[in-house]
Amino acid sequence: MNVEEMKKAVAKEALKFIEDEMVIGLGTGSTTAYFIRYLGKLIMDGELEEVYGIPTSHQARLLAIESGVPVVSLDEVDAIDIAVDGADEVDPHLNLIKGRGGALTMEKIIEYRAGTFLVLVDESKLVKSLSQRMPVPIEVMPPAWKAIAEELEVFNAEAELRMAEKKDGPVITDNGNFILDAKFHKIEDPLDLEIELNTIPGVVENGIFADIADIVLVGTKEGIKRLER
């Protein structure tokens, strides 16, 4: 299987975790987009009933509506049964780096509150340690970005302001903030670093998701591999 086929395979496998009357956190990204489309088809075909999605971004919300998935907001539900999302990196302990799509804050809010957090990746996302290939996205308040970038030097990190590709200037998140991409030489303790980064004034949230993933479905050339905490 090529990468796109792996993404489709894990997205279809994720449907086995969905039942009637579930509230589902809908992640952001290319793999989760396949899941949302497949979920919408099951709902439209009458194979699932009273299923509702809570999107983590404008992108996920628009795709859910287009695909026929009923959408609700976080304050309209008492609980989230399962959250389904992708990841940019997954280490052997199932710690994650997420946020290349810029939706890390709402992703973390929803996925930390889900009864089960199901992660969908292809095998290229598996790493021996976090930030091996990808920087850690950090959502910051715009007036503070430069000061925060300088403060990250204390962590031996090199931070760059993420620039937009189809507009002038920096990427703007759904919350109206900037994204710093911080490359760490080595992350010894993901949970400790996740907490420390969030104590920096002006940081809204960061893309380390430590001790949160329950199940990771990995698309490989040989098939789907299931990893559990």
Side-chain angles (χ1 to χ4, degrees), residues 4 6 21 35 58 73 81 90 120 136 152 179 188 197 210:
E4 289 305 309
M6 291 178 197
E21 301 182 8
F35 169 77
H58 294 320
S73 61
D81 297 291
V90 181
L120 313 180
V136 175
L152 288 170
I179 294 282
E188 299 280 0
L197 291 175

Side-chain angles (χ1 to χ4, degrees), residues 205-221:
E205 190 52 82
N206 72 83
I208 298 175
F209 285 56
D211 295 343
I212 174 176
D214 296 300
I215 301 169
V216 178
L217 298 180
V218 185
T220 74
K221 295 180 178 65

Side-chain angles (χ1 to χ4, degrees), residues 19-202:
E19 300 176 0
D20 291 342
E21 301 182 8
M22 272 191 168
V23 176
I24 307 163
L26 303 176
T28 301
S30 58
T31 305
T32 318
Y34 286 124
F35 169 77
I36 294 172
R37 291 189 184 99
Y38 296 149
L39 177 65
K41 187 174 188 310
L42 289 183
I43 293 171
M44 298 295 283
D45 291 345
E47 296 184 45
L48 284 172
E49 296 181 350
E50 295 187 45
V51 169
Y52 299 91
I54 300 182
T56 57
S57 65
H58 294 320
Q59 183 250 12
R61 182 178 184 276
L62 292 171
L63 182 58
I65 293 171
E66 177 188 310
S67 302
V69 179
V71 169
V72 293
S73 61
L74 185 60
D75 56 5
E76 291 180 283
V77 300
D78 296 322
I80 302 169
D81 297 291
I82 188 170
V84 181
D85 205 352
D88 302 306
E89 286 188 347
V90 181
D91 78 5
H93 302 288
L94 306 192
N95 298 308
L96 318 172
I97 286 181
K98 293 174 47 54
R100 288 302 297 170
L104 60 153
T105 298
M106 188 54 67
E107 287 174 344
K108 193 171 286 190
I109 288 170
I110 289 172
E111 288 153 12
Y112 263 84
R113 285 164 174 75
T116 300
F117 179 27
L118 178 63
V119 181
L120 313 180
V121 295
D122 63 82
E123 60 187 356
S124 70
K125 304 299 175 62
L126 301 182
V127 296
K128 292 182 179 178
S129 61
L130 294 187
S131 201
Q132 183 175 313
R133 293 194 293 261
M134 302 292 297
V136 175
I138 303 174
E139 183 167 354
V140 301
M141 296 182 66
W145 78 266
K146 196 169 188 298
I148 293 170
E150 292 172 355
E151 190 160 350
L152 288 170
E153 294 175 7
V154 174
F155 297 88
N156 293 317
E158 300 167 7
E160 292 185 356
L161 183 64
R162 189 184 300 180
M163 304 304 289
E165 294 183 2
K166 295 184 179 180
K167 65 173 281 293
D168 293 334
V171 167
I172 306 297
T173 70
D174 288 355
N175 305 312
N177 297 314
F178 290 172
I179 294 282
L180 287 174
D181 288 314
K183 182 63 179 176
F184 292 84
H185 297 295
K186 190 172 185 180
I187 297 179
E188 299 280 0
D189 187 332
L191 180 58
D192 183 63
L193 182 58
E194 178 183 3
I195 293 169
E196 282 197 62
L197 291 175
N198 281 352
T199 65
I200 300 173

